[in-house]
Amino acid sequence: MSTTVVDAEFRARLTQVIHSFGSVVAAATAVGVSDNAIYKWLKGTGNPSAANLMALARAGRVSVEWLATGAEAAQSAQAITRAVEHGDFIFMPRNRIRFSSGRDGILRSDQVVDSIAFRAGWVKQRLNTESRDLILIEVVGDSMAPTVEDSDLILANLAEPRFRQDGIYLLRHDGGLTVKRIQRRPDGKLLVRSDNPKYEAMVVSTVKIIGRVIWIGGCV
């Protein structure tokens, strides 16, 4: 197989993943690169680094192996994060956000614990979204307490990778993921804060949003 064909096939997969975000801007925001970098990748005048390739695969909910080579690993990122519909139910893999020592809410490793079933009709009617756009996460830590307690489950809508309204979002931060509340200030800047008052809030101009948290389920 020639290099030209390989490059063309890679760009085709790249185009497929980037189109899943809805726009180049959304893809660039999710990965943490400029719009220009995405356009260069699509044109073949530049290539993503290994780190950016992994970030794109994770945000696009595909495996790095498939994105890079076209092959699928048995335990791919796509298989881990994508929900499976069967009959009247959607089986959602439960991922766990682990917090590193001394840091607030950074994803250092993700682990699929098990799957939880949701009624397909409830997901589409109550949450007004598609199962393919959802990721189910078990949150470990107290930074969002009492709204999101340790071991609570959240559903994040990956089809909303930008700020639209005040709410709780899954964010990319410092190479990992974090769950925070975002509010728009009168001056147009964003207040990123934890609901637990012992954690300090931040005021920023932009933030890298992965998706909006649309459901929280906790222990009784």
Side-chain angles (χ1 to χ4, degrees):
M1 186 177 289
S2 69
T3 302
T4 301
V5 173
V6 171
D7 289 346
E9 290 175 349
F10 171 68
R11 288 202 302 277
R13 293 191 298 275
L14 193 65
T15 300
Q16 179 182 332
V17 174
I18 290 173
H19 280 180
S20 71
F21 288 92
S23 70
V24 169
V25 172
T29 299
V31 179
V33 298
S34 66
D35 299 358
N36 190 45
I38 298 287
Y39 284 119
K40 286 183 178 179
W41 299 349
L42 292 173
K43 292 178 181 177
T45 56
N47 290 307
S49 65
N52 286 336
L53 192 71
M54 288 189 288
L56 180 61
R58 179 179 292 280
R61 302 172 72 195
V62 300
S63 71
V64 176
E65 182 176 354
W66 175 82
L67 183 56
T69 69
E72 273 289 3
Q75 295 295 327
S76 67
Q78 185 176 20
I80 289 172
T81 61
R82 195 174 296 279
V84 177
E85 294 194 36
H86 182 72
D88 293 334
F89 291 90
I90 295 169
F91 292 89
M92 195 79 63
R94 178 161 60 105
N95 302 274
R96 175 173 292 161
I97 288 187
R98 294 183 180 275
F99 294 80
S100 64
S101 176
R103 301 299 296 273
D104 175 25
I106 303 302
L107 177 67
R108 294 305 176 191
S109 64
D110 58 324
Q111 174 187 0
V112 175
V113 181
D114 54 26
S115 293
I116 295 178
F118 294 84
R119 285 196 175 275
W122 180 83
V123 170
K124 293 178 180 178
Q125 296 168 19
R126 184 66 182 271
L127 300 183
N128 193 30
T129 188
E130 298 294 331
S131 61
R132 64 176 179 270
D133 295 325
L134 295 175
I135 183 171
L136 179 68
I137 295 174
E138 177 185 343
V139 177
V140 181
D142 66 348
S143 68
M144 284 299 292
T147 308
V148 184
E149 298 283 2
D150 180 64
S151 298
D152 277 358
L153 298 174
I154 63 170
L155 281 174
N157 186 0
L158 304 181
E160 298 187 51
R162 61 186 64 83
F163 179 84
R164 293 186 182 277
Q165 62 190 47
D166 292 0
I168 300 173
Y169 290 84
L170 181 64
L171 311 177
R172 183 175 299 283
H173 175 68
D174 194 25
L177 300 180
T178 185
V179 177
K180 295 294 179 188
R181 185 178 297 278
I182 304 180
Q183 297 172 311
R184 175 82 71 181
R185 300 199 327 168
D187 61 4
K189 292 186 177 181
L190 300 175
L191 177 67
V192 180
R193 68 177 182 83
S194 303
D195 283 3
N196 189 333
K198 76 178 184 180
Y199 294 95
E200 192 172 336
M202 297 183 297
V203 176
V204 298
S205 298
T206 60
V207 67
K208 299 173 184 176
I209 294 174
I210 301 300
R212 185 170 65 88
V213 175
I214 59 174
W215 178 86
I216 301 170
C219 300
V220 177

